[in-house]
Structures are given as C-alpha cells and as structure tokens.
Amino acid sequence: MNQPNQPSAARAWAVTFAGMGINLALGVLYTWSVFAAALIDQLNWTKTQSQFPYTLACVMFALFMVPAGRMVDKFGPRLVATIGGILAGAGMIISGVTQSLVGITIGFGLIVGAALGFGYGAPTPAAVKWFQPHKKGLISGLVVAGFGLASVYTAPLTKYFLTNYGISRTFIYEGIIFFAVIMILAQVLTFPPPGYVPYGGPPPATRAASAASSKYDFSPREMLATPQFYLLWLMFCFAASAGLLIIGHLAKIAQIQGGINWGFVFVAVLAVANAGGRILAGWLSDRLGRTNTMLLVFAIQAANMLLFASYKSAATLFIGSVLTGIAYGANLSLFPSATYDYFGLKNAGINYGLVFTAWGAGALIGPIIAGRAADLTGGYNASYLISAALLVVAAILSFVTKPPTKPVSDGQAVKV
C-alpha cells in the first residue's frame, strides 16, 4: 500500500513501459542485417563494407553510454532520452539523403550510434529506482526487452519499405517514425521523488535475493579500482560478440548456408527470442544469482556457435536463431543487474555506461571478423569457432566473479 503523497504503482510501471517503448524504437540496430543485404545486393557493397555503419554504431552506442549515464545521474532520464530521439531521427534521415558509404556510415554509424547511447542509457536506471532491489533483474529485463523485440516489426517493415520505396526512403521514413515515438515517450521518464518507498513488496527468502543490493554506492573511480569491474567487462565483451556476429550477418548467413532469401524472418524470430531471453534471465537471476545464470547462458551460446556451421535448413537456422536470441538477450539484463548489485544505484547511469563499453568492444570483435572471414572464404565457419572459444573463457571467468568489497576508507574492507 502506498504511503501518503507517494506515487502509485501505476507510475512505476508507466516509467518501465515507456522505457520499453523507447527501446522498441531504438532496436532498429538489430535489423541491420536486412539493410546490409540490400546494400550488398542493390548498391554492390562488399560484406565487410556493409558492416562499417553497423559496427561504428555499436562502438558509438557503447562510448556514448558513458556521458549519457553521467547526464542521467545529474539531470535525470527525460532530457537524455529526448536527446536520443533527436539524434535518432537526424541520423536516419541523413543516411537516406546521402545514400553513400561515407554518408550512411556517418548518419547511421556515428549519429544513430550516439542516439542509441543516449536513448538506451536513460530508461533502465530510471525504472529500477522505482522498484525494490530484489526486482532489479526482472525490471531491467522488461525495459531492455523492447530493444531486442524491435526487429519483430522493424525487420518486416524495413523489408517492405526497401521493396517498395528503396533504400533512401526507407531510412527517411523510419527516421521520422522513431523520432516521434521516442520524443513522446521520453517525457514519461523520471526518477522517483525523495523519500519514495520502492514498489515491489518484501524479497523472497532466497540466497540470491538476500544479496540483491550493495550496501555501498561505488563512485566510478572506486568501481574501476575493483577486479569485479574488469571481470564483468571481459565476460560481457566475449558474450556480446557472439550474438552481434549473428545479428549483423543473419540474413546473409541464411542465403549462404541455406539458400534462403527471406532471412528477415529469422531476424524477427531472433528478436522475439532476444526479448524473451532478457526477461527470462532477469527473472531467473533474481532467484539463482547473476553469475550462476551467466554460466548457464555462456554454455548454451558456446554450444550453439560450435553447431552454427551445420545449420543449413530453415528448421536448423530457426533453432540457431532462437538460441542466439535467448543467450544474447540474457546478457543485456544480466550485466546491468550485476552492475547495480555490485556497485549500487546512486551512480547507476555512469557505472553501467562504463561496463557497457564492453558491448562496443564485442561489436568490433564479432561482426567485422565474420565479415572478413566471409569475404575471404565465402563462409562464416572460422568466426563461429572463435566466438565459441571466447564464450568458454567467459564461462570460466564466471566461476571467479564474486561481489566486491567496500573501499578501505574506515580502516576495514568489507563485502557489500
């Protein structure tokens, strides 16, 4: 029951679902393989060139999460998400107007990439502050599920626009749509007022829930001094690179391995699994613990990557897309939740922004290596093996990743 003058539970859920809606617009990034196939087939780009805008967007996304996180902590989520909406619309329109390698790399890669950092960095820290600590996994999963689910509608929408209006108008039309959606929903985002009692009830009687929240809020400098930051960073980087490899190339993988020219369907299938994996892993990690759930996810994705070269029919490519989506999406709820667990919520925006730079590094490893391998060999087999090896390393690291200790400022270091 709410205390007098306390916002209702409806407000907490409104912030959560507004954040999900913003991510539904920003998730156009995960439809890039549909754009890439069109750029290769219609504008004669190489497979490596087709990954330049996507990879730069991923890197800019990760880099801008840091200043965006700082701005969220200082100015609140509404302003930051609004900036993201303006940049998203501008970058897509510039890509459509220029229609060249340089223009699309600047428009989509540079400007939309920056938009992703601002738009994605704002909703999750806002939403989790409205709920009790033992709900962090579930709420983080719900908010970021929008980003993963976006391709369910953007993949067929992009395919329709490309078929009927061409590449230029596709970028422009989608830019206008995303600008409008983000600008409206950004106005709903806000932090709870001082003294607000978080919604969500008492924690369940589980060991994972009892350790759900750090008793100490680490500053960015203090977080960077812990080994846990670097362990999380490496695991996130290796795990993300595998999913981004498949996401960036799936439409072309379907063509090469299965002779299938409707790969956008697999992109949509992966998107549903991506969103589901975020929610499922968030809920599961609230009960099993973050690193236990990470180990399970890394093992599933490693096995999937080892088998991906054998996926040559619609049925097996469907299975591979589902497993990739679940495992990749899980990372996007596990790592923000683990960051908030380990380092507290006061500096949640910038602290997770720093951890999220690992995702940008993963974008450099996965899609570009895969594109280069395909240009040189005609297939993706070598890149699958590299990704599987990195996932095995991530699984090993999960065994040694434990909660950090409070910085020694009062004469004694303690676990938090």
Side-chain angles (χ1 to χ4, degrees), residues 122-271:
T124 306
V128 296
K129 290 185 178 183
W130 286 88
F131 292 85
Q132 292 286 351
H134 63 277
K135 296 286 188 181
K136 285 199 296 289
L138 175 61
I139 298 305
S140 295
L142 286 170
V143 173
V144 299
F147 203 92
L149 194 61
S151 289
V152 171
Y153 78 92
T154 56
L157 179 66
T158 300
K159 185 68 174 179
Y160 172 81
F161 282 159
L162 287 168
T163 301
N164 291 279
Y165 302 107
I167 293 175
S168 178
R169 290 189 179 182
T170 298
F171 278 116
I172 292 171
Y173 291 166
E174 292 190 359
I176 293 170
I177 293 170
F178 301 148
F179 168 78
V181 170
I182 296 170
M183 291 297 288
I184 292 170
L185 293 178
Q187 310 317 305
V188 180
L189 298 184
T190 183
F191 286 144
Y196 171 74
V197 177
Y199 176 71
T206 66
R207 186 168 61 87
S210 69
S213 182
S214 171
K215 303 300 187 293
Y216 180 79
D217 290 307
F218 285 71
S219 70
R221 184 188 298 273
E222 290 169 338
M223 181 185 71
L224 292 172
T226 68
Q228 283 81 4
F229 168 79
Y230 299 97
L231 290 167
L232 289 175
W233 195 97
L234 287 171
M235 289 189 294
F236 198 2
C237 175
F238 295 161
S241 67
L244 291 167
L245 183 162
I246 302 300
I247 290 167
H249 291 271
L250 185 54
K252 187 55 65 174
I253 288 171
Q255 281 184 357
I256 292 174
Q257 293 183 194
I260 295 170
N261 293 315
W262 38 271
F264 70 93
V265 173
F266 296 119
V267 176
V269 167
L270 190 151

Side-chain angles (χ1 to χ4, degrees), residues 51-379:
Q51 296 304 301
F52 287 165
Y54 171 72
T55 301
L56 180 58
C58 291
V59 173
M60 297 302 293
F61 182 0
L63 291 177
F64 272 86
M65 278 283 287
V66 178
R70 174 67 79 184
M71 291 177 65
V72 168
D73 294 336
K74 187 173 183 180
F75 301 112
R78 183 179 300 146
L79 171 64
V80 179
T82 299
I83 293 172
I86 294 170
L87 291 175
M92 293 291 286
I93 291 170
I94 289 171
S95 297
V97 170
T98 58
Q99 216 178 164
S100 67
L101 175 60
V102 173
I104 295 176
T105 300
I106 292 173
F108 190 92
L110 189 66
I111 300 175
V112 174
L116 296 173
F118 283 102
Y120 186 87
T124 306
V128 296
K129 290 185 178 183
W130 286 88
F131 292 85
Q132 292 286 351
H134 63 277
K135 296 286 188 181
K136 285 199 296 289
L138 175 61
I139 298 305
S140 295
L142 286 170
V143 173
V144 299
F147 203 92
L149 194 61
S151 289
V152 171
Y153 78 92
T154 56
L157 179 66
T158 300
K159 185 68 174 179
Y160 172 81
F161 282 159
L162 287 168
T163 301
N164 291 279
Y165 302 107
I167 293 175
S168 178
R169 290 189 179 182
T170 298
F171 278 116
I172 292 171
Y173 291 166
E174 292 190 359
I176 293 170
I177 293 170
F178 301 148
F179 168 78
V181 170
I182 296 170
M183 291 297 288
I184 292 170
L185 293 178
Q187 310 317 305
V188 180
L189 298 184
T190 183
F191 286 144
Y196 171 74
V197 177
Y199 176 71
T206 66
R207 186 168 61 87
S210 69
S213 182
S214 171
K215 303 300 187 293
Y216 180 79
D217 290 307
F218 285 71
S219 70
R221 184 188 298 273
E222 290 169 338
M223 181 185 71
L224 292 172
T226 68
Q228 283 81 4
F229 168 79
Y230 299 97
L231 290 167
L232 289 175
W233 195 97
L234 287 171
M235 289 189 294
F236 198 2
C237 175
F238 295 161
S241 67
L244 291 167
L245 183 162
I246 302 300
I247 290 167
H249 291 271
L250 185 54
K252 187 55 65 174
I253 288 171
Q255 281 184 357
I256 292 174
Q257 293 183 194
I260 295 170
N261 293 315
W262 38 271
F264 70 93
V265 173
F266 296 119
V267 176
V269 167
L270 190 151
V272 175
N274 186 347
R278 295 170 190 230
I279 298 171
L280 176 62
W283 172 82
L284 192 62
S285 70
D286 283 339
R287 285 151 179 79
L288 299 182
R290 311 302 179 204
T291 53
N292 290 336
T293 310
M294 287 176 188
L295 175 60
L296 176 63
V297 168
F298 300 157
I300 291 172
Q301 184 65 323
N304 187 44
M305 295 306 293
L306 284 173
L307 293 171
F308 222 94
S310 67
Y311 299 158
K312 298 182 179 180
S313 67
T316 53
L317 284 166
F318 176 89
I319 293 170
S321 299
V322 169
L323 291 176
T324 298
I326 290 173
Y328 173 77
N331 296 316
L332 275 300
S333 65
L334 287 172
F335 284 94
S337 300
T339 302
Y340 306 149
D341 283 353
Y342 284 5
F343 306 114
L345 286 175
K346 180 180 180 181
N347 302 300
I350 184 148
N351 283 349
Y352 181 57
L354 289 166
V355 171
F356 193 79
T357 59
W359 184 91
L364 287 173
I365 295 172
I368 291 297
I369 289 177
R372 189 61 178 160
D375 284 334
L376 292 174
T377 68

